[in-house]
Amino acid sequence: MNLEIFNFSISPWEILIRGSLIFWFLFLIFRFLLRRNMGSIEVGDILFIVIVADAAQNAMSGDGKNIADGMLLVSTLVFWNLLLDYLSFRFIFFRKFAVSPPLILVKDGILQWRNMRREFITKDELLARIREEGFQEISLVKEMRLESNGDISVVKSDKANQ
């Protein structure tokens, strides 16, 4: 058995630094630019993820060709992900940085156009979601939010309960 595959082909420190930098770069992209896509994945989203994964892999691994390089790189990414989850759970101030706050899309039956534009959500998309919830018209919606995980939640107005 050839044990060369378990030796590092590049410096372990370089792998740690590359993995950490790419992790945080991708985190910032997904946190601040792509929140809407997290709740529903479409073909374009899958293509984007595949391309990002390939580009990130090349940037992270450099010329890494051995199992040890890959295992250290994956361990680095897992470490940052677990640390991020722990810090978000433990510290409110960190959670505010790491997790997008809910965004109001409809307030008392009125579309919040600025927020919709910010997330590239069309009126037709909102109306479809309202119909999925069983509402006939937007005036029956007290509040509609884009949640931090990408889901859209709808709260009935008092008029809808009558």
Side-chain angles (χ1 to χ4, degrees), residues 51-71:
I51 292 169
V52 165
D54 185 48
Q57 183 275 328
N58 292 334
M60 288 185 290
S61 66
D63 286 334
K65 294 178 174 73
N66 292 323
I67 290 173
D69 296 341
M71 290 185 342

Side-chain angles (χ1 to χ4, degrees), residues 72-89:
L72 181 59
L73 181 56
V74 169
S75 297
T76 301
L77 299 176
V78 168
F79 164 78
W80 282 115
N81 193 47
L82 289 173
L83 183 62
L84 193 67
D85 287 346
Y86 172 76
L87 292 173
S88 296
F89 173 76

